[in-house]
Amino acid sequence: VAGGIYAFGVWSEGLAATWPAGGGATLPRLNALYEATLLGVYVPVPGFFYHAFGTRATLIAGAALAFFGYGGVWAQFFAPEHAGAPNALSYLLFFVVGLSTGFIDTAVIGSNMANFPRHERGAAMGMLKGYFGLSASILTLLFAAGQSAAHFVFALAVLGGSLTLAAALFTSPEPSMVHNQPGARWRLRFLLWTELVLAVLLFLRSVFFPAASSRLATVLCLLLVPALLVPSCVSTVYRSRSVLFPKYLAMDDDIDGALATAGEVDSNESAGAAESSGFQGGSGRSTGQDQYSGAGNGADDHEEEGHAPNGVSISAVPTGQPQARAASMSLTGDERVLEPLFQEPSNCAEGETPSLDLLQALQTANFWLLFSQLFVVFGAGLFLVSNSARIMEAKGGTTTQVNNLVSIVSVSNCAGRIGVGFAGDQRVLHSRGIFRPALLCAALAVMAVAHALLAVCGETGTLIAGFLGGFSYGAAWTLSPSILGDICGLGFFGKLYGVMGLAPTFGSLIFSNILASLVYEQHASGDSPCIGNECFALAHWIVCVACLSFAALAGPALARRTNGIYASHHAIVG
């Protein structure tokens, strides 16, 4: 339900129809309301709230804000017989709608960043971000099935509030380690494949049945959505062994057992201690000062690293975190590794940087190298997403081609989130020194190619560029939380994730709103729309140069600075 803000286009005309005639230009006011929504999405408030109060409280707050925001919009414009023009309250309500999305997104991403081990976070983030993008297409099916704008907004208020509240009630206040649950990897892969099937179905429906009157295709898609989602949800809630795939679940358990003992080393071969982030799960709080240490060789090592003289290493327990009730002990010899239930295992934590609070992160070059790349790639992607219809119309494309471009961008966006998230976890890439920062650098380069094609190509080339641009844009959304957790730890992830949300805000403002609009208006003559490649060509070339510059400078710099972190973790897990 969090992606409902992206379905604004399907009910915006119904909203504008409730305004009195002669009250001013309709399109600018609709754009202003949507900008208020995006501002609510990307303000850092949800991240700070999540850090202070945890997952459940953040979801409950998101549910309340969704009900108040959408419900307020319905009450102001659709409930009365004669609604007025947008006013200050309208912008506040749309801001609250966006804020509810930010709360839900932060709670889901933050808790799953902590619950999934580092070598599987990419696939988890890809799945979650992919569903975030697909949710708008799924909700649009409800509107296409014959719902009025009034009923649709009312449904968003009820669904957005009730479903999120229900999810909050099923959220445990204690963090849950996914690698300790039977069949966790099978459920993750099942959800990923379900998402891909949904994306293909929605794409086929948009391309071959674009007319709103094709009710049969819409109804079939609506029936297939729960048919695909319900089994995955049931398998996730019901955490027991399935009789259907005992072989693969047994393989998962073997992998889990291997990972659980991967940190066991002989005291004579241990290389000291590596600082790591505290586990952040349902509580959302951590001091970020956890220490994971191996057994040392001498008395000095024992004193400095907190080792007991008998060879048992005891890692520091974060203060103020009640769920870390037991110290992590690594016993020498062939004895089993004992780890706290609600703390990230040593095999995942070793090789990570310490958890940095907001002030510490803002003082590091790694944070700003990541922020600058996200600023450019998000701005370039939002340029394409927000102006895809006008870009195709300027090239003389038909209504069908416009719809095809919008569908291609949407589906490739989802494919980029899933595919690159999954690729970032693969050992075959890690063995060649290709880690997540290198994938982000590649996404910038692909985005540059997309805008170069948009500047010079016709209708067919624009469709290809739409696929490339949507794919790299989706890849950046998956990589951003994973890389942020890798370089700054999880102890203060909520705050850092909230501040990192300013990157798409500024990127959209500069590239999509200011640059694209200025270039287009310079070539438009009066009220007549602009026709030709020159309508956006200069803006595309500027964005292309910006993407190439950051891909050549900031991308390799971040990859070099973080290569040691990723290489050490790959050596442990591999």
Side-chain angles (χ1 to χ4, degrees):
V1 296
I5 59 169
Y6 298 126
F8 176 68
V10 302
W11 60 275
S12 58
E13 291 185 6
L15 173 66
T18 65
W19 301 341
T26 298
L27 185 59
R29 286 188 294 177
L30 287 174
N31 290 338
L33 289 173
Y34 190 62
E35 288 300 323
T37 306
L38 293 180
L39 180 63
V41 175
Y42 298 126
V43 293
V45 174
F48 286 84
F49 187 94
Y50 170 78
H51 182 80
F53 300 104
T55 303
R56 177 176 292 177
T58 307
L59 286 174
I60 293 175
L65 290 170
F67 181 80
F68 176 77
Y70 284 114
V73 172
W74 177 84
Q76 183 181 17
F77 294 109
F78 297 104
E81 185 176 352
H82 300 288
N87 52 28
L89 176 61
S90 308
Y91 292 99
L92 176 61
L93 291 173
F94 274 83
F95 175 83
V96 171
V97 167
L99 195 62
S100 70
T101 298
F103 270 81
I104 297 171
D105 177 65
T106 300
V108 171
I109 295 300
S111 60
N112 282 280
M113 279 290 295
N115 285 339
F116 279 88
R118 179 172 170 178
H119 57 279
E120 291 182 345
R121 287 175 193 158
M125 293 301 104
M127 178 193 67
L128 295 171
K129 288 293 187 179
Y131 276 116
F132 183 85
L134 279 182
S135 61
S137 298
I138 297 173
L139 290 172
T140 301
L141 292 177
L142 295 175
F143 188 83
Q147 298 294 321
S148 65
H151 292 160
F152 186 72
V153 174
F154 185 80
L156 288 177
V158 175
L159 288 176
S162 60
L163 292 181
T164 305
L165 183 60
L169 296 178
F170 283 99
T171 302
S172 171
E174 298 284 358
S176 172
M177 295 303 296
V178 172
H179 71 279
N180 286 335
Q181 300 174 7
R185 287 178 180 82
W186 175 83
R187 289 195 300 273
L188 176 60
R189 285 160 178 76
F190 184 82
L191 285 168
L192 286 170
W193 281 107
T194 300
E195 188 172 3
L196 285 174
V197 172
L198 283 175
V200 172
L201 288 176
L202 293 171
F203 173 73
L204 294 177
R205 186 261 171 194
S206 298
V207 172
F208 295 103
F209 304 97
S213 59
S214 57
R215 301 287 179 82
L216 179 60
T218 298
V219 171
L220 289 176
C221 286
L222 283 174
L223 293 175
L224 286 171
V225 166
L228 290 170
L229 287 179
V230 168
S232 59
C233 294
V234 171
S235 67
T236 301
V237 175
Y238 184 67
R239 296 171 179 174
S240 62
R241 294 185 179 276
S242 171
V243 297
L244 298 177
F245 301 99
K247 175 181 178 181
Y248 298 104
L249 295 182
M251 291 173 59
D252 281 347
D253 292 339
D254 293 340
I255 296 174
D256 291 336
L259 290 174
T261 57
E264 184 178 350
V265 293
D266 187 83
S267 59
N268 295 326
E269 297 177 356
S270 181
E275 294 183 348
S276 172
S277 64
F279 182 86
Q280 179 184 1
S283 66
R285 296 182 293 270
S286 174
T287 60
Q289 302 297 326
D290 298 82
Q291 306 283 336
Y292 293 86
S293 55
N297 289 326
D300 293 339
D301 290 333
H302 292 309
E303 293 177 359
E304 293 178 3
E305 300 174 5
H307 289 349
N310 59 0
V312 178
S313 65
I314 304 177
S315 61
V317 178
T319 59
Q321 192 169 353
Q323 63 263 35
R325 294 186 295 268
S328 175
M329 298 189 300
S330 178
L331 304 179
T332 60
D334 294 330
E335 299 181 34
R336 184 183 179 128
V337 175
L338 301 179
E339 293 173 333
L341 179 60
F342 302 123
Q343 192 168 343
E344 197 159 11
S346 59
N347 65 288
C348 293
E350 194 167 347
E352 291 191 24
T353 56
S355 289
L356 305 179
D357 61 27
L358 180 59
L359 183 59
Q360 291 173 331
L362 293 177
Q363 295 174 351
T364 64
N366 288 346
F367 181 89
W368 292 110
L369 287 171
L370 175 61
F371 186 93
S372 62
Q373 292 180 81
L374 295 179
F375 161 75
V376 175
V377 73
F378 284 150
L382 288 168
F383 180 162
L384 174 61
V385 172
S386 302
N387 298 280
S388 56
R390 284 202 297 174
I391 290 173
M392 181 59 81
E393 289 172 354
K395 296 177 181 292
T398 63
T399 302
T400 301
Q401 289 174 322
V402 170
N403 293 333
N404 288 344
L405 176 61
V406 173
S407 299
I408 287 174
V409 171
S410 176
V411 174
S412 62
N413 181 6
C414 176
R417 298 180 187 219
I418 300 173
V420 176
F422 184 77
D425 295 337
Q426 300 309 303
R427 299 178 186 176
V428 63
L429 295 181
H430 300 170
S431 62
R432 291 166 172 78
I434 302 175
F435 303 106
R436 290 179 184 129
L439 296 179
L440 179 59
C441 182
L444 272 166
V446 172
M447 183 66 78
V449 174
H451 278 273
L453 292 176
L454 289 171
V456 299
C457 291
E459 295 90 336
T460 303
T462 299
L463 295 177
I464 298 174
F467 178 85
L468 296 176
F471 189 91
S472 58
Y473 176 67
W477 275 114
T478 291
L479 292 170
S480 58
S482 302
I483 298 177
L484 181 63
D486 292 339
I487 66 176
C488 296
L490 301 180
F492 302 88
F493 181 81
K495 292 181 177 180
L496 297 172
Y497 185 65
V499 173
M500 194 62 72
L502 295 175
T505 303
F506 294 139
S508 174
L509 176 65
I510 293 177
F511 290 105
S512 179
N513 294 355
I514 297 178
L515 178 62
S517 298
L518 284 178
V519 173
Y520 183 86
E521 290 172 1
Q522 286 180 353
H523 293 88
S525 56
D527 296 332
S528 301
C530 179
I531 302 296
N533 284 339
E534 65 274 7
C535 298
F536 290 100
L538 178 60
H540 288 312
W541 285 122
I542 293 175
V543 173
C544 176
V545 172
C547 290
L548 286 177
S549 299
F550 280 86
L553 299 176
L558 180 62
R560 286 194 301 269
R561 293 175 61 90
T562 59
N563 187 66
I565 299 174
Y566 289 99
S568 61
H569 178 262
H570 169 66
I572 296 169
V573 176

